[in-house]
Amino acid sequence: MKEGDHLFIIDGSGYIFRAYHALPLLKRKSDGLPIGAVLGFCNMLWKLLDSVRNKLIRNCAPTHLAIIFDFSSKTFRKKIYPQYKANRREPPQDLIPQFSLIRQASYAFNLPYVEKEGFEADDLIATYAFQAVEVGADVTVISSDKDFLQLVNDHVSIYDSVKDKLIGVEGVIEQWGVPPTKMVDLQAMIGDSVDNVPGIPGIGPKTAVTLIETFGDLETLLKQAKDITQPKLREKIINYGELARISRQLVQLCSTVPVDDSLESFILRAPSKYKLIRFFKEMDFKNLLLRISR
């Protein structure tokens, strides 16, 4: 990869759960195998690649593209805070057998995918985004997850395919009231109930923005908490300061994952009609087969 190239990174795990919840339970007629999430995933990939071909995202076509998946729920963050994501339920039973099929779908589309034990997909995405920017390339992360907003800069944008919205630096400020460089501090204060990140109880986004504007960052806030004039707010910050520091470690994406796949392996190649037809026939995806014929 070189200066002027453009890497698209798909949050594959986000795609999976969006696909699963978008369609009702669907089973393959031949053997009753659940395939609803696989179909939804394929439809989403098809739509995205169509947008890519027509340069509908950032008015350009990527030179490189990769799909990133979570390997498992056991990551380094559990060692920092054992309750991290403790409120998450196990994946639905009918979704579990579809994980491997979705990876097969990625292969059928001729798209490389990456996963790594001990790290979340988010960290792999952050690492590849950092590597691409280091060589002067641009990056677009395909996800609706706010955790990626901390990566946004002049070379990295987020494309929310749910809202069909491209988010840059100004978009982050407009939505959250702080620039991307302050998103980690903001998230550390407000926490995240979805991932069971504690934050500082009772502090919401508006208060967090005000505190960042006043003190600059989380660490300065915690060191100068005694100077806060509102008694209740001062007490919360002093009492839960260490939780906020832990929360910051949890929401900060790791951009130094020792990855095995190089950026060069993500060169975008045209889908193989043969592989797609074979996979769609195996899954009994008649509508997708019709799209190929057209």
Side-chain angles (χ1 to χ4, degrees):
M1 179 169 270
K2 62 187 185 301
E3 185 176 355
D5 284 345
H6 197 138
L7 171 64
F8 275 34
I9 313 177
I10 298 174
D11 174 13
S13 296
Y15 257 34
I16 289 175
F17 286 95
R18 270 186 56 203
Y20 176 76
H21 292 292
L23 294 173
L25 178 62
L26 180 66
K27 295 184 178 182
R28 189 164 60 183
K29 291 181 180 179
S30 61
D31 57 3
L33 178 71
I35 54 172
V38 186
L39 176 59
F41 184 85
C42 289
N43 282 330
M44 290 162 69
L45 272 188
W46 188 286
K47 181 179 178 181
L48 176 68
L49 292 175
D50 188 56
S51 297
V52 164
R53 281 191 297 270
N54 292 293
K55 299 183 179 181
L56 299 180
I57 304 172
R58 291 186 72 165
N59 297 315
C60 65
T63 55
H64 299 67
L65 191 149
I67 304 173
I68 314 296
F69 294 112
D70 284 318
F71 183 84
S72 73
S73 61
K74 296 179 180 178
T75 70
F76 69 92
R77 290 182 177 84
K78 287 281 190 180
K79 297 178 181 179
I80 297 172
Y81 187 66
Q83 295 88 356
Y84 178 67
K85 291 190 176 181
N87 55 338
R88 292 278 188 99
R89 296 179 180 178
E90 291 296 315
Q93 287 301 306
D94 61 311
L95 177 59
I96 293 173
Q98 298 186 69
F99 288 142
S100 61
L101 294 173
I102 284 170
R103 283 153 176 80
Q104 291 178 39
S106 303
Y107 173 77
F109 274 92
N110 219 16
L111 298 175
Y113 67 85
V114 179
E115 54 192 340
K116 188 175 182 66
E117 186 173 6
F119 295 92
E120 295 182 50
D122 296 14
D123 300 308
L124 292 169
I125 291 172
T127 297
Y128 283 122
F130 179 79
Q131 290 181 1
V133 171
E134 279 284 282
V135 299
D138 289 323
V139 178
T140 299
V141 178
I142 315 295
S143 179
S144 55
D145 190 339
K146 70 178 182 302
D147 291 346
F148 294 117
L149 297 178
Q150 62 186 268
L151 303 178
V152 173
N153 56 41
D154 290 341
H155 292 281
V156 180
S157 298
I158 310 300
Y159 175 65
D160 185 342
S161 57
V162 177
K163 299 178 180 178
D164 188 24
K165 183 178 182 180
L166 187 67
I167 304 171
V169 174
E170 291 304 317
V172 176
I173 296 172
E174 180 183 339
Q175 183 177 357
W176 290 94
V178 297
T181 52
K182 300 295 182 182
M183 279 301 299
V184 173
D185 286 338
L186 183 140
Q187 288 181 262
M189 290 185 209
I190 66 176
D192 189 335
S193 59
V194 175
D195 290 341
N196 205 35
V197 175
I200 301 176
I203 289 187
K206 288 184 179 179
T207 302
V209 169
T210 301
L211 290 170
I212 289 172
E213 289 174 345
T214 304
F215 293 92
D217 56 60
L218 176 64
E219 197 55 41
T220 302
L221 165 66
L222 297 180
K223 289 178 180 178
Q224 299 179 10
K226 61 182 184 302
D227 297 331
I228 296 173
T229 55
Q230 303 99 308
K232 289 185 178 180
L233 181 59
R234 181 176 64 244
E235 184 179 351
K236 286 178 185 176
I237 294 170
I238 291 173
N239 290 344
Y240 296 101
E242 285 310 308
L243 266 186
R245 287 191 174 100
I246 291 172
S247 297
R248 195 182 196 286
Q249 293 181 66
L250 297 177
V251 300
Q252 174 80 60
L253 299 184
C254 175
S255 61
T256 56
V257 177
V259 292
D260 303 312
D261 301 86
S262 71
L263 292 173
E264 289 309 313
S265 65
F266 300 156
I267 292 175
L268 182 59
R269 295 178 174 87
S272 164
K273 187 174 181 180
Y274 168 75
K275 288 197 292 187
L276 283 175
I277 289 174
R278 185 175 62 178
F279 182 75
F280 292 163
K281 281 184 175 179
E282 182 184 342
M283 292 292 102
D284 195 25
F285 292 160
K286 292 183 175 62
N287 286 337
L288 285 170
L289 283 168
L290 280 174
R291 290 184 190 178
I292 291 179
S293 67
R294 291 168 184 166

